[in-house]
């Protein structure tokens, strides 16, 4: 079963605008991660936020985590055409045992940034 | 991607034949994972390894087996390929437990079963 659900499924914006993607999950987590996938390529790790953190920044990326609502958001500021990709959230579940870092991925948001 | 390679990159095989995909890493990471990616399903975990000869099943392990005889190699075998196993397969490595870092993914293997 999918741990993460992402919203929207697709997002189309103009260069310079901000892009916000949301992720909801079902169980308690150790951390939540965001990945980017360019067409035909492997996934690239963007940022990791631990369950005891509420916000994290990396360059133009801002991630928030609300464990009470079991949700996270990824904000990309001042988008560029090169940001066009699919974005996935993934959760390292805290299910009472050892997760060994197993991640459960959402279905992703397809972001298109028009020049 | 740096430090992790998958082979082959593309493969077409016939139904009923065994197929082995290889993941090789040069990062000396303890943890390795095999995922498949299908439209509408995102990425789903097939098998994972937490050390040499230590492996376990993931969400969609039926029809697949794995082996890890040394740190750098993690093999995924489709015992008797079926059309439902047509997919893109990704290997990933991590240093989970050593500061909670993310995965590094390989470039993927596109497998078509005809």
């Amino acid at each position: 079963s999918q741990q993460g659900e992402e919203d929207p499924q697709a997002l189309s914006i103009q260069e310079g605008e901000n892009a916000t993607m949301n992720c909801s999950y079902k169980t308690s987590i150790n951390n939540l991660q965001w990945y980017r996938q360019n067409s035909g390529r492997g996934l690239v790790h963007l940022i990791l936020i631990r369950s005891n953190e509420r916000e994290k920044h990396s360059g133009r990326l801002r991630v928030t985590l609300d464990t009470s609502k079991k949700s996270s958001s990824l904000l990309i500021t001042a988008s560029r055409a090169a940001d066009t990709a699919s974005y996935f959230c993934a959760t390292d579940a805290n299910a009472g045992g050892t997760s060994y870092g197993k991640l459960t991925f959402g279905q992703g948001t397809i972001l298109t940034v028009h020049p | 991607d740096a430090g992790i390679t998958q082979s082959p990159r593309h493969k077409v095989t016939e139904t009923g034949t065994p197929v082995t995909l290889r993941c090789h890493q040069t990062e000396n990471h303890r943890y390795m994972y095999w995922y498949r990616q299908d439209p509408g399903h995102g990425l789903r975990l097939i098998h994972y390894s937490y050390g040499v000869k230590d492996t376990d099943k993931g969400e969609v392990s039926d029809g697949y087996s794995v082996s890890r005889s040394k740190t750098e190699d993690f093999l995924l075998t489709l015992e008797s390929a079926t059309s439902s196993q047509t997919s893109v397969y990704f290997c990933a490595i991590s240093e989970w437990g050593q500061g909670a870092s993310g995965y590094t993914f390989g470039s993927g293997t596109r497998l078509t079963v005809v």
Side-chain angles (χ1 to χ4, degrees):
Chain A
S1 61
Q2 290 296 118
Q3 165 75 319
E5 298 290 336
E6 295 179 63
D7 170 62
Q9 292 186 0
L11 180 61
S12 181
I13 61 174
Q14 296 295 129
E15 248 185 350
E17 295 180 342
N18 295 343
T20 299
M21 288 158 268
N22 303 297
C23 170
S24 60
Y25 57 92
K26 297 177 182 176
T27 65
S28 179
I29 61 171
N30 295 314
N31 62 70
L32 184 145
Q33 304 177 29
W34 286 90
Y35 288 81
R36 183 187 74 230
Q37 184 180 35
N38 291 93
S39 181
R41 307 291 296 274
L43 281 74
V44 174
H45 179 251
L46 296 176
I47 197 165
L48 179 153
I49 187 165
R50 292 179 175 79
S51 60
N52 61 354
E53 297 176 313
R54 291 298 168 260
E55 186 171 314
K56 204 161 183 180
H57 296 257
S58 176
R60 294 184 295 114
L61 306 180
R62 172 179 171 255
V63 169
T64 61
L65 178 65
D66 187 334
T67 53
S68 67
K69 295 181 179 178
K70 291 187 169 57
S71 67
S72 175
S73 67
L74 170 68
L75 168 67
I76 304 174
T77 60
S79 296
R80 306 166 181 168
D83 294 327
T84 294
S86 294
Y87 291 81
F88 295 87
C89 70
T91 51
D92 180 354
N94 180 3
T98 302
S99 77
Y100 293 118
K102 300 189 302 291
L103 295 181
T104 302
F105 286 80
Q107 294 188 26
T109 293
I110 301 171
L111 174 66
T112 303
V113 182
H114 299 280
Chain B
D1 287 279
I4 178 172
T5 55
Q6 291 184 234
S7 59
R9 289 297 310 277
H10 302 271
K11 186 170 182 67
V12 179
T13 192
E14 294 186 351
T15 298
T17 61
V19 177
T20 295
L21 309 183
R22 181 181 184 234
C23 179
H24 178 78
Q25 61 144 330
T26 58
E27 303 296 320
N28 201 37
H29 285 359
R30 178 179 175 185
Y31 302 94
M32 300 185 75
Y33 314 84
W34 277 107
Y35 283 82
R36 59 179 289 175
Q37 185 176 30
D38 304 288
H41 291 278
L43 280 86
R44 292 178 292 173
L45 181 65
I46 305 171
H47 281 279
Y48 65 100
S49 171
Y50 48 97
V52 173
K53 297 185 179 177
D54 291 323
T55 65
D56 205 349
K57 297 177 180 180
E59 179 187 0
V60 290
S61 60
D62 287 349
Y64 302 94
S65 62
V66 290
S67 66
R68 192 166 177 204
S69 60
K70 46 187 178 177
T71 299
E72 54 266 39
D73 290 326
F74 192 32
L75 303 180
L76 176 70
T77 297
L78 287 66
E79 294 144 7
S80 177
T82 68
S83 59
S84 65
Q85 293 176 312
T86 292
S87 186
V88 181
Y89 291 86
F90 287 100
C91 177
I93 59 176
S94 84
E95 290 185 296
W96 180 81
Q98 304 295 323
S101 60
Y103 284 3
T104 300
F105 276 87
S107 298
T109 294
R110 184 172 295 275
L111 177 68
T112 303
V113 184
V114 298

